């Protein structure tokens, strides 16, 4: 079996996912092309050597429709022989893209693959593609599907995570992200985005809020109480009668932000890397993907991580550094509790609460963040995991070279 190595990882800054955001004027194909060109230039790649591109995108319509992976390859001027595919595993699309690239390489049928994700949430709002789970009441009632924010509040209620607890976790994320920026921890992977005149539009994550404090967080209104009152709270309570009512503790301050961004990871085998002068930074040691109960839905990361660990005979204690996507504070707190992970090795540079969650791109971004921090700390083994709509979970274990 071939090993799958990571040679490089790049990402754009995250831009505010609204019309006033710095990246609103930038088409998603431009964002993705920027990462393609960056990884090409950084590694002096002849793009004829790339076998395929796997790109995650959660809302593949309009500007992001019709296989944006291949469209961006052509737009970026890559060799026309490079194929491209777009995939959708909801929030974990970018991480799953990297995992698929690793499978391709490990199979021996491909030697060098680029993988990552794109989401321009300012131009293509979430749920623009519709879908039965999101909008068909008959389907929702049959399968017990509720909005993710209500599910996060359900977890908080069951586990006893009150508003102070989730706000405290959120503040930690803001503080860690700001500290990481002040100390240039992200500079290895992040690339600036320019306008057509070559002027910098954005070179750091736009959602950073250095002046955030607990008082400001405590004054924010619950974000999902009204949605819950539309019947989703009742659906949740019917499935989980252990609680009398749902405490709506999640707000815009302790949930992931809506942002734009793109990311890319270069994955290949050792022989191809050596032939092209590429230095492996890590190998993808193991992966895990599964699904859990769809109503509470955000509890997939722990079993996905355990599945990946079991595959290589490891336990959580073997992991030196963890990244779990901060979709909602309660989801991370639940994961941390279930896996018995200390604060000082989990999401050490903040996460999506502080910097935003560009859906299809986040997974590959987190993987690059994890690898950069493992190198900075001189650590050997790290794990990325993500909760996913409908109860899924995805995990990836990296071993530094």
């Amino acid at each position: 079996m071939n090993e799958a190595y990571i040679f490089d990882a790049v990402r754009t800054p995250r831009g505010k996912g609204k019309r006033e955001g710095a990246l609103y004027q930038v088409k998603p194909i431009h964002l993705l092309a920027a990462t393609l060109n960056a990884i090409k230039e950084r590694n002096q790649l002849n793009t004829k050597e790339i076998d395929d591109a796997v790109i995650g995108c959660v809302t593949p319509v309009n500007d992001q429709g019709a296989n944006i992976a291949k469209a961006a390859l052509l737009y970026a001027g890559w060799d026309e022989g490079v194929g491209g595919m777009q995939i959708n595993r909801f929030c974990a699309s970018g991480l799953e893209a990297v995992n698929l690239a690793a499978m391709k390489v490990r199979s021996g049928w491909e030697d060098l693959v680029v993988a990552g994700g794109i989401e321009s949430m300012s131009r293509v709002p979430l749920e623009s593609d519709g879908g039965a789970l999101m909008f068909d009441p008959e389907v929702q009632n049959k399968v017990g599907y509720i909005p993710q924010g209500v599910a996060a509040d359900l977890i908080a209620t069951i586990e006893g995570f009150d508003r102070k607890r989730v706000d405290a976790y959120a503040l930690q994320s803001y503080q860690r992200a700001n500290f990481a920026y002040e100390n240039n921890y992200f500079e290895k992977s992040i690339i600036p985005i320019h306008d057509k005149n070559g002027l910098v539009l954005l070179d750091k994550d736009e959602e950073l809020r250095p002046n955030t404090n607990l008082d400001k967080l405590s004054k924010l209104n619950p974000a999902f109480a009204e949605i819950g009152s539309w019947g989703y709270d009742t659906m949740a309570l019917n499935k989980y009668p252990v609680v009398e009512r749902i405490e709506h503790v999640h707000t815009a301050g302790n949930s992931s932000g809506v942002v734009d961004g793109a990311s890319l990871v270069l994955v290949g085998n050792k022989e191809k890397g050596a032939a092209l002068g590429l230095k492996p930074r890590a190998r993808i040691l193991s992966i895990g993907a599964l699904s859990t109960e769809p109503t509470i839905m955000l509890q997939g990361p722990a079993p996905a991580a355990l599945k990946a660990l079991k595959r290589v005979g490891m336990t959580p204690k073997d992991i030196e550094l963890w990244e779990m996507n901060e979709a909602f504070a309660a989801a991370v707190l639940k994961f941390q509790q279930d896996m018995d992970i200390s604060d000082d090795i989990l999401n050490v540079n903040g996460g999506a609460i502080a910097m935003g969650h560009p859906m299809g791109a986040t997974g590959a971004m987190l993987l690059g963040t994890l690898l950069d921090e493992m190198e900075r700390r001189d650590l050997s083994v790290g794990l990325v995991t993500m909760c996913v709509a409908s109860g899924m979970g995805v995990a990836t274990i990296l071993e530094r070279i």
Side-chain angles (χ1 to χ4, degrees), residues 5-10 38-43 115 188-189 264-267 278-282 367-368 371-372:
Y5 293 91
I6 293 176
F7 298 110
D8 200 8
V10 301
I39 214 157
K40 171 188 172 182
E41 293 164 6
R42 283 160 56 119
N43 297 281
K188 187 169 186 175
S189 294
L264 211 62
V265 177
L266 182 62
V267 181
L278 302 172
K279 182 179 179 180
R281 296 173 60 188
L367 190 139
L371 181 53
D372 287 348

Side-chain angles (χ1 to χ4, degrees), residues 203-233:
D203 59 4
K204 65 185 295 184
D205 294 325
E206 193 175 13
E207 285 278 75
L208 290 168
R209 298 183 182 93
N211 298 318
T212 299
N213 56 48
L214 284 176
D215 182 59
K216 291 180 180 179
L217 289 171
S218 69
K219 293 177 179 177
L220 296 173
N221 293 324
F224 307 103
E226 182 179 353
I227 297 174
S229 71
W230 297 349
Y232 293 116
D233 278 6

Side-chain angles (χ1 to χ4, degrees), residues 64-355:
Q64 296 176 163
N67 191 355
I68 194 171
K70 181 56 181 175
L73 288 163
L74 293 171
Y75 186 80
W78 279 39
D79 187 83
E80 63 184 17
V82 182
M85 62 183 292
Q86 175 269 323
I87 67 165
N88 183 2
R89 198 190 280 275
F90 296 141
C91 296
S93 297
L95 188 60
E96 182 68 6
V98 177
N99 289 351
L100 281 173
M103 295 178 208
K104 285 169 166 281
V105 170
R106 284 175 63 88
S107 74
W109 290 357
E110 293 181 0
D111 301 318
L112 194 62
V113 181
V114 290
I118 174 68
E119 210 75 44
S120 179
M121 301 182 78
S122 65
R123 298 176 66 95
V124 187
L126 183 64
E127 299 182 354
S128 295
D129 55 342
L133 281 178
M134 308 301 175
F135 296 108
D136 188 330
E138 179 187 4
V139 173
Q140 289 179 329
N141 283 315
K142 182 173 182 178
V143 305
Y145 189 89
I146 63 177
Q148 290 187 45
V150 178
D153 287 336
L154 175 61
I155 290 174
T157 304
I158 292 173
E159 299 298 331
F161 302 145
D162 61 15
R163 178 67 181 269
K164 289 184 178 180
R165 180 80 181 276
V166 293
D167 279 351
Y169 179 83
L171 180 61
Q172 175 181 275
S173 180
Y174 289 109
Q175 292 173 336
R176 288 181 169 185
N178 288 316
F179 182 85
Y181 261 102
E182 289 170 0
N183 290 275
N184 300 315
Y185 290 173
F186 299 128
E187 66 178 359
K188 187 169 186 175
S189 294
I190 201 166
I191 61 169
I193 296 299
H194 301 84
D195 66 14
K196 293 181 179 180
N197 297 313
L199 301 176
V200 174
L201 287 172
L202 192 64
D203 59 4
K204 65 185 295 184
D205 294 325
E206 193 175 13
E207 285 278 75
L208 290 168
R209 298 183 182 93
N211 298 318
T212 299
N213 56 48
L214 284 176
D215 182 59
K216 291 180 180 179
L217 289 171
S218 69
K219 293 177 179 177
L220 296 173
N221 293 324
F224 307 103
E226 182 179 353
I227 297 174
S229 71
W230 297 349
Y232 293 116
D233 278 6
T234 300
M235 289 172 62
L237 293 174
N238 287 338
K239 183 66 73 74
Y240 291 91
V242 66
V243 294
E244 293 183 4
R245 67 187 181 92
I246 294 178
E247 300 294 335
H248 290 284
V249 299
H250 285 91
T251 69
N254 56 40
S255 307
S256 56
V258 173
V259 293
D260 304 333
S263 57
L264 211 62
V265 177
L266 182 62
V267 181
N269 62 37
K270 193 171 186 178
E271 292 74 21
K272 188 70 167 184
L276 298 178
L278 302 172
K279 182 179 179 180
R281 296 173 60 188
R283 69 174 176 134
I284 297 176
L285 187 62
S286 182
I287 65 172
L290 45 67
S291 196
T292 59
E293 198 278 305
T295 299
I296 206 163
M297 108 170 48
L298 302 174
Q299 297 187 147
L306 291 171
K307 184 176 182 179
L309 288 164
K310 183 178 180 181
R311 180 166 283 120
V312 286
M314 300 172 70
T315 72
K317 298 301 181 185
D318 295 313
I319 301 300
E320 298 168 295
L321 199 64
W322 299 80
E323 285 284 337
M324 189 265 176
N325 185 40
E326 294 178 348
F328 302 92
V332 184
L333 291 171
K334 170 66 172 170
F335 172 74
Q336 182 179 18
Q337 175 180 280
D338 289 351
M339 301 295 285
D340 190 23
I341 303 170
S342 65
D343 268 346
D344 59 354
I345 59 171
L346 173 64
N347 297 345
V348 296
N349 291 325
I353 289 175
M355 294 175 283

Side-chain angles (χ1 to χ4, degrees), residues 367-383:
L367 190 139
T369 297
L370 175 69
L371 181 53
D372 287 348
E373 188 64 17
M374 287 169 63
E375 290 174 343
R376 195 183 72 80
R377 297 186 178 208
D378 193 24
L379 302 177
S380 297
V381 185
L383 189 149

